[in-house]
Amino acid sequence: QPRAKSGTGHEVRRLFASLDVQVRRAFSALAMNTYRPYLNTARSTLNAALCLRNFPSQIVERHNKPEVEVRGSKELLLNPILIARTDQEKCLIEASVNSVRVSFAIKQADEIERILTKKFTSFLMQRSEQFVVMRRKPTDGYNISFLITHHHLETMWKAKLLDFIITFMEDVNKEISAMRIALNSRARIVAEEFLKDFASDK
Amino acid sequence: PDPRKKVWMSAVKGLLDEAPAIMGSKDAAAKSAHATKVFGSLAKLSDKQAQEVVDSLEPEQGDILLKYVYRGLETASDQNPAYFKLQAKLVEKFGVGSIVRVLADRKTV
């Protein structure tokens, strides 16, 4: 008589759900300790860079473009600041008179994380209108970019905007780590359950 | 207090005093040579000594040191955690304006 397949439904889901949350909590607590100073530096630098004012285009009449994207006139651009935590994890802040471009490179340890990051960030960037300050394409060499213009600062509080960007980056990192852990634990549990059938049959 | 350790603190200050001449020039090689010296002497400072150095700096010297800190942060190295702390201390003492001057000053380190 064929043995009823056990554990492929609710049992497995319950198993990996509980594992997921505990591991996720432990992992994020660990990650925060080494990550905080980097985010604080990025935050204070961004706070200084976000001094923007309306500046209509000097080249085209009646046009108003973010100068950091146009990069036409040297006098309107500030020195870019690169804050690197590791080789892979860095933050580039390019400021200008009326706009700031912030780009983040997310740490990707292995192939799985690279795939997860690519899919997750492209998912977010496709919906960049919802995020208002997000850029549709990341800058070269980075995973995700934000473009903040004086319009945004006129309608939103600067402190809240800063909070948003920093917690956004924290959350993206947490999400990707959690996704990787969930993926690995799911794979392990599924493999275990699958192989259990073979073991008890014999 | 170890008298030898005071050497590195005054070495840092000496290098900061030499910096304006280097900043004015356009020679990239001279700039990176001087930067390497600054990073080397910053590496020798402990946390407490770094705090002392920051406390004793004039505003212009603080700006110059912050420029070197940001230059150091461009490349990933073992020093970077120390640079994060140093940046926080410098900003605490000299304010947001020092970062704005790093962004806006044409004379880069």
Side-chain angles (χ1 to χ4, degrees):
Chain A
Q1 266 188 347
R3 210 170 143 276
K5 293 265 187 221
S6 67
T8 41
H10 304 286
E11 205 181 280
V12 178
R13 248 179 267 140
R14 244 185 305 124
L15 262 174
F16 85 70
S18 65
L19 185 73
D20 200 12
V21 165
Q22 287 162 21
V23 177
R24 210 192 291 197
R25 253 187 238 139
F27 194 83
S28 65
L30 190 69
M32 278 305 115
N33 290 336
T34 50
Y35 200 40
R36 263 290 135 214
Y38 163 67
L39 285 180
N40 286 340
T41 308
R43 196 208 166 98
S44 57
T45 316
L46 198 49
N47 185 28
L50 278 174
C51 269
L52 309 177
R53 47 164 283 215
N54 192 359
F55 196 88
S57 169
Q58 291 178 312
I59 304 163
V60 186
E61 226 176 85
R62 302 175 72 162
H63 276 214
N64 200 321
K65 305 182 207 215
E67 292 299 333
V68 76
E69 298 285 355
V70 175
R71 307 210 138 247
S73 320
K74 294 285 173 219
E75 72 272 14
L76 303 175
L77 303 173
L78 298 177
N79 303 326
I81 285 185
L82 177 63
I83 302 169
R85 183 175 167 232
T86 59
D87 263 333
Q88 299 175 320
E89 211 172 350
K90 46 192 176 165
C91 164
L92 177 66
I93 300 174
E94 300 159 285
S96 70
V97 67
N98 63 358
S99 45
V100 170
R101 187 164 66 192
V102 198
S103 311
F104 288 95
I106 302 171
K107 181 159 70 171
Q108 295 149 68
D110 52 7
E111 190 62 39
I112 281 286
E113 271 195 14
R114 261 195 287 274
I115 298 173
L116 282 174
T117 312
K118 186 157 168 279
K119 291 220 171 276
F120 189 53
T121 52
S122 75
F123 176 88
L124 293 171
M125 285 190 279
Q126 274 179 345
R127 291 152 183 80
S128 53
E129 274 126 44
Q130 296 288 321
F131 289 109
V132 185
V133 287
M134 197 185 288
R135 202 166 178 264
R136 286 204 137 239
K137 290 236 176 320
T139 331
D140 271 333
Y142 295 87
N143 295 117
I144 196 165
S145 294
F146 298 92
L147 176 68
I148 306 168
T149 59
H150 64 280
H151 290 299
H152 301 143
L153 284 185
E154 278 163 21
T155 53
M156 298 188 260
W157 288 351
K158 181 170 153 183
K160 300 279 186 184
L161 192 54
L162 275 175
D163 281 340
F164 168 70
I165 293 187
I166 299 297
T167 45
F168 187 86
M169 287 322 297
E170 276 176 26
D171 288 344
V172 163
N173 268 288
K174 272 191 222 170
E175 276 294 331
I176 292 178
S177 314
M179 276 194 272
R180 194 198 72 210
I181 292 172
L183 188 78
N184 287 335
S185 44
R186 213 170 26 230
R188 190 173 53 243
I189 290 173
V190 165
E192 222 177 279
E193 287 299 323
F194 181 69
L195 292 173
K196 257 188 214 171
D197 281 346
F198 286 118
S200 43
D201 274 351
K202 287 185 184 156
Chain B
D2 191 351
R4 283 175 299 169
K5 290 192 186 158
K6 298 268 180 183
V7 170
W8 293 115
M9 287 164 58
S10 50
V12 171
K13 288 224 200 116
L15 287 168
L16 292 179
D17 288 330
E18 285 170 29
I22 309 269
M23 274 160 50
S25 80
K26 295 202 180 168
D27 187 0
K31 285 187 182 183
S32 51
H34 197 251
T36 325
K37 278 189 229 165
V38 174
F39 298 151
S41 27
L42 281 176
K44 302 278 196 325
L45 294 178
S46 75
D47 250 358
K48 244 191 286 177
Q49 289 172 331
Q51 184 66 55
E52 274 177 49
V53 170
V54 169
D55 287 335
S56 63
L57 285 179
E58 299 290 311
E60 294 89 23
Q61 292 173 314
D63 284 348
I64 297 172
L65 186 56
L66 193 59
K67 286 184 190 172
Y68 277 112
V69 168
Y70 275 120
R71 184 175 173 142
L73 283 174
E74 279 175 19
T75 45
S77 71
D78 293 326
Q79 294 298 313
N80 283 16
Y83 289 157
F84 290 136
K85 285 189 203 156
L86 192 53
Q87 191 259 7
K89 287 182 189 140
L90 281 167
V91 173
E92 203 188 313
K93 176 150 195 231
F94 297 113
V96 180
S98 53
I99 310 183
V100 180
R101 267 167 257 135
V102 173
L103 284 164
D105 204 346
R106 285 297 161 205
K107 295 195 179 141
T108 55
V109 161

